[in-house]
Amino acid sequence: MRTESTLTQERLAERAGVSVETIRKLEQNERTSARMSTLNRLATALGVPTTALMGSAAQAQAMREPNAEPLGLVDVRRALTPVSGLDGRSVVGDPETGPPTAADVRRSILTANTIYHANDYAAALGLIPGLLDEARALVGFSDGDERSTAHALASRAHQLAGRLLIQLRRLDLAHVALASALDHARRSGDQMVGAAAVAPMCWLLLRQARFAEAEALAVRTADQVEPRLSTASPAELAAWGFLLMKGASAAVRDARHADARDMLDLAAAGAHRLGDRPSPDADITGVAQWRVRRGLTHHP
């Protein structure tokens, strides 16, 4: 695409605000993924969609084609389970210089989340490795209060990876992603981020027929984040109600319908209080709000 546009590497680097070295390594396949913010800048400079910079491996994996796994998941595995030496340093260096910003990572999560909810799993799979690398770099470069924010963003990046991998039926790899999401959430100290990370873990446990564990995790977390209905924010109500719905789903599958109904009644109280108030966090809790309202109106 760069050659077709007649741009030199130096000119593209100037337009995109990235290093020439990064462009060189990507073009020569010395690095098979890049930070999502870098891909966004390169795509903008080239006048193409970000997804145009993705290869065919992710498409093959999303379509579950024969022999797709070695191609489609190798970068996801690398990003989820990086290899470090005795000195604790990754054996695969980051070719990009300078730390990403929290705004970069937040924008990258929103972009990937939008693509995921548009059911374009191939494009999302192609973006996930760079997103996880970017989030990890932010945590590594942050300290003090900024590190809590970095951990919260890293949790959301891993949540998205986990949800996508569940959709692709890669459940063991999804467990790795969601365990990391929970760990980052704990380190962030943000209960709402933690609740958001628990919900897809419950979904994963349901897919694995681990009904008792899914219910216990959902109910315990719902108890921990239970809001005061009179003063709760939309995000708090949505997170609490979504967890109760996950717990109810597990109870139904375990043939305990009365317990499921009790949880749905509690979620209904939260949904009634929630009404149509918008969530300030549209990438995560806005989806939960919609699911709580829709789920409760569709239950028998």
Side-chain angles (χ1 to χ4, degrees), residues 48-68:
V48 300
T50 304
T51 52
L53 301 182
M54 300 296 111
S56 59
Q59 178 71 37
Q61 180 58 227
M63 298 299 292
R64 292 193 284 276
E65 294 177 3
N67 303 319

Side-chain angles (χ1 to χ4, degrees), residues 189-247:
D190 189 325
Q191 277 200 325
M192 290 302 98
V193 174
V198 165
M201 180 63 86
C202 291
W203 178 27
L204 173 62
L205 294 172
L206 288 173
R207 293 290 295 269
Q208 294 176 322
R210 297 165 65 177
F211 305 138
E213 291 169 278
E215 182 182 355
L217 179 60
V219 171
R220 181 186 302 173
T221 310
D223 287 344
Q224 291 171 340
V225 302
E226 182 175 0
R228 291 177 60 90
L229 294 185
S230 59
T231 58
S233 69
E236 291 169 334
L237 289 167
W240 181 63
F242 201 24
L243 287 167
L244 290 170
M245 288 179 64
K246 291 295 183 186

